[in-house]
């Protein structure tokens, strides 16, 4: 079975190391933002709201300030200005169970899943690429496909 340390090593070639591993959720949200081919301001606002909530949660769990908002914003900006590289996103999806969900209290892991998925829904619902849109076109086909892929990823158990 892959260890947490092994998974961390797989992210190093993408410039992610140390406590930045706790920011990988943000890359998935950026991928959702870009799923329709553009990242719009309302989508970015939702991602930044998630960032602040996320940093607060990490610091609260640690019992002290271990991560600064500025660190998380800097990380996010590296992945928001243009679509994140597909190979990075695939690697994160392959490792998220080990890095963010495994070895946690199941209620905490479930809350992480819910927070990521809710943010994805909010991102997709916040902006459309064309008006008028049909009754089933608020989310694009690509956004729907990405969302369902992420649901599946977050529900899977890590391979042993």
């Amino acid at each position: 079975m892959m260890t947490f340390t092994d998974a961390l090593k797989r992210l190093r070639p993408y410039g992610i190391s140390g406590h930045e591993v706790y920011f990988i959720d943000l890359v998935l949200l950026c991928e959702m933002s870009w799923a329709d081919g553009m990242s719009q301001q309302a989508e970015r606002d939702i991602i930044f709201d998630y960032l602040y909530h996320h940093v607060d949660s990490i610091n609260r769990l640690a019992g002290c300030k271990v991560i600064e908002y500025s660190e998380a914003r800097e990380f996010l900006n590296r992945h928001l200005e243009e679509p994140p590289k597909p190979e990075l996103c695939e690697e994160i999806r392959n490792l998220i169970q080990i890095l963010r969900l495994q070895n946690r209290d199941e209620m905490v892991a479930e809350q992480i899943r819910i927070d990521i998925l809710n943010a994805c829904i909010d991102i997709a619902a916040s902006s459309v690429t064309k008006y008028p849109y049909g009754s089933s076109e608020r989310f694009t086909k690509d956004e729907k496909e990405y969302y369902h892929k992420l649901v599946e990823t977050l529900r899977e158990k890590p391979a042993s």
Side-chain angles (χ1 to χ4, degrees):
M1 181 173 223
M2 183 181 300
T3 67
F4 186 89
T5 303
D6 294 335
L8 270 179
K9 288 177 186 174
R10 287 180 50 178
L11 291 178
R12 277 194 203 130
Y14 301 101
I16 299 173
S17 61
H19 66 267
E20 288 181 334
V21 68
Y22 298 107
F23 303 150
I24 62 174
D25 310 23
L26 298 168
V27 177
L28 299 178
L29 300 184
C30 290
E31 188 175 34
M32 182 63 172
S33 175
W34 283 97
D36 62 6
M38 63 181 74
S39 179
Q40 296 166 293
Q41 188 59 51
E43 295 169 326
R44 291 168 181 243
D45 292 345
I46 291 165
I47 295 170
F48 277 100
D49 286 346
Y50 180 93
L51 175 150
Y52 293 115
H53 169 75
H54 187 53
V55 169
D56 289 343
S57 294
I58 291 168
N59 288 335
R60 189 174 39 260
L61 283 172
C64 62
K65 188 179 246 183
V66 294
I67 297 176
E68 299 285 339
Y69 295 126
S70 59
E71 294 174 278
R73 281 191 307 266
E74 182 180 307
F75 178 89
L76 178 57
N77 286 331
R78 292 190 337 234
H79 301 282
L80 191 58
E81 292 307 314
E82 54 187 55
K85 296 192 180 327
E87 58 273 10
L88 167 61
C89 295
E90 182 177 348
E91 192 72 84
I92 289 172
R93 285 191 304 275
N94 289 335
L95 301 173
I96 196 156
Q97 285 286 341
I98 294 166
L99 294 172
R100 296 284 292 124
L101 302 172
Q102 187 175 288
N103 298 326
R104 296 196 185 280
D105 177 87
E106 188 50 40
M107 287 179 45
V108 172
E110 184 61 16
Q111 192 58 57
I112 292 169
R113 287 181 191 100
I114 288 168
D115 288 347
I116 292 169
L117 294 172
N118 284 347
C120 284
I121 290 171
D122 291 341
I123 289 165
S126 70
S127 305
V128 294
T129 55
K130 66 179 178 98
Y131 288 99
Y133 54 87
S135 61
S136 64
E137 296 174 337
R138 177 77 189 169
F139 291 17
T140 68
K141 178 181 176 281
D142 292 331
E143 288 170 328
K144 290 175 184 176
E145 286 175 6
Y146 179 75
Y147 181 81
H148 290 290
K149 178 171 43 173
L150 197 53
V151 167
E152 200 173 298
T153 296
L154 293 172
R155 296 289 175 212
E156 291 173 354
K157 296 296 177 204
S160 40

